[in-house]
Amino acid sequence: MQKPIVYVVSDSVGETAELVVKASLSQFNNGNFRIQRIPYVDDEGTILETIELAKSNQSMMAYTLVKPEYREFIRKKTEEAGITAVDIMGPMIDAMKKHLSREPKLEPGLVHKLDEDYFKRIEAVEFAVKYDDGRDPRGILLADIVLIGVSRTSKTPLSQFLAHKKFKVANVPIVPEVEPPEELFRINPSKCIALKINPEKLNHIRKERLKALGLNSTANYANMERIKQELNYFNNIVEKLGCRTIDVSSKAVEETANLVQNLMKNQSTEGL
């Protein structure tokens, strides 16, 4: 015997309605049902065809239609046909309209525009993790922004902060003993941001870091001569790259992130 069908009618992809139907069916042994989506409905003819199918299969319907005229049409026609039909979104929209004293946009698919925004953010966060601390130089060529700096200039937290703004960020540590990846010299300098810091501030940060790790704060990592050597090497690399710089000596990550975004925005505007 063929499984009974629940027809899911939507003016978008129908994912929301299907999730609600699945959640409800789980209370009734959902193995006894099949869900059939009817997506992107924007005419009465498709609604009538689906009603005929539901009637011939003795099925029920669920729908998420934002336009009131289509909701009323399907309500009226399913009643006439004796079909059980559930308006999943309509009552919520109507209640919100009353409570907020505002008119809804009544545009299909808006939730998926939000989803797209969400997935872009997740993709950017995953990118920042994958190409953190120069672990894979190939990311330099794929990034929207490339951050460079010596150790403890907040490259990683800054990358994550910018990732939540949907920028794909790679960051590269600059160390005298290690040649910068050749990919760094192949990108447009406008994509690269160098994070400068004064030696005294860096010395303090590194000493505190060593203490937090239970290590001797007089280690070479926090030695002032070593720090000056690193910063001189860093400045030479920045000059070769011709990239823009931001002094992070007295800036919070959020403040630096805003400056980076402004630099990128201005660069985009200049390119128009």
Side-chain angles (χ1 to χ4, degrees):
M1 180 179 176
Q2 187 176 3
K3 293 180 181 179
I5 301 172
V6 178
Y7 288 96
V8 169
V9 179
S10 175
D11 46 22
S12 184
V13 295
E15 183 179 30
T16 301
E18 182 172 346
L19 287 172
V20 174
V21 171
K22 281 183 176 178
S24 302
L25 286 175
S26 69
Q27 304 297 317
F28 300 93
N29 185 7
N30 57 20
N32 292 330
F33 286 87
R34 181 164 66 90
I35 297 173
Q36 177 67 55
R37 281 198 213 181
I38 311 294
Y40 303 112
V41 173
D42 60 359
D43 65 280
E44 294 180 353
T46 303
I47 293 173
L48 289 174
E49 289 174 6
T50 307
I51 290 172
E52 286 301 315
L53 281 172
K55 187 174 182 179
S56 64
N57 293 325
Q58 296 183 320
S59 303
M60 67 174 290
M61 296 172 62
Y63 55 97
T64 49
L65 300 168
V66 297
K67 293 185 177 180
E69 60 269 30
Y70 286 160
R71 297 206 310 266
E72 177 58 23
F73 182 80
I74 198 169
R75 184 197 65 78
K76 181 180 178 182
K77 294 300 181 181
T78 51
E79 280 186 3
E80 291 175 357
I83 295 170
T84 300
V86 180
D87 183 355
I88 291 174
M89 189 177 291
M92 180 62 77
I93 292 176
D94 293 340
M96 285 184 171
K97 174 181 175 181
K98 182 178 180 181
H99 180 72
L100 299 173
S101 298
R102 290 171 57 186
E103 291 296 322
K105 292 182 178 180
L106 301 178
E107 296 178 27
L110 289 181
V111 68
H112 294 286
K113 291 181 182 178
L114 294 175
D115 286 347
E116 183 180 357
D117 185 74
Y118 169 78
F119 286 119
K120 282 183 179 178
R121 187 176 292 110
I122 293 299
E123 184 182 4
V125 170
E126 290 175 345
F127 186 97
V129 171
K130 183 175 182 179
Y131 299 112
D132 180 47
D133 208 31
R135 64 182 63 175
D136 186 346
R138 292 174 298 181
I140 293 170
L141 302 176
L142 302 172
D144 300 319
I145 301 170
V146 179
L147 303 175
I148 64 170
V150 300
S151 176
R152 309 313 296 174
T153 48
S154 298
K155 296 185 298 298
T156 295
L158 182 57
S159 296
Q160 287 294 323
F161 193 98
L162 290 166
H164 281 87
K165 303 295 182 181
K166 294 175 291 185
F167 288 102
K168 292 182 178 179
V169 185
N171 74 75
V172 181
I174 302 299
V175 185
E177 292 77 17
V178 181
E179 280 290 320
E182 58 95 9
E183 287 88 349
L184 203 54
F185 298 90
R186 289 167 52 191
I187 62 170
N188 189 322
S190 66
K191 290 174 60 176
C192 183
I193 305 292
L195 306 177
K196 295 178 64 176
I197 191 169
N198 70 53
E200 292 76 20
K201 179 68 174 180
L202 184 58
N203 177 253
H204 173 74
I205 292 172
R206 289 188 175 182
K207 282 184 176 180
E208 291 301 312
R209 176 61 175 165
L210 289 170
K211 287 179 184 178
L213 294 173
L215 301 174
N216 193 327
S217 62
T218 61
N220 191 48
Y221 181 67
N223 179 275
M224 185 59 83
E225 288 305 311
R226 168 63 184 182
I227 286 173
K228 288 180 179 178
Q229 178 192 359
E230 287 187 40
L231 293 177
N232 285 335
Y233 180 74
F234 167 77
N235 289 333
N236 289 334
I237 296 299
V238 171
E239 188 174 347
K240 287 180 182 178
L241 292 171
C243 60
R244 294 168 292 179
T245 63
I246 295 176
D247 191 332
V248 299
S249 302
S250 58
K251 292 181 176 64
V253 169
E254 294 87 347
E255 186 179 359
T256 304
N258 286 334
L259 290 172
V260 171
Q261 290 180 85
N262 287 336
L263 286 175
M264 301 310 294
K265 182 179 179 181
N266 291 339
Q267 177 66 31
S268 177
T269 303
E270 289 169 8
L272 294 177

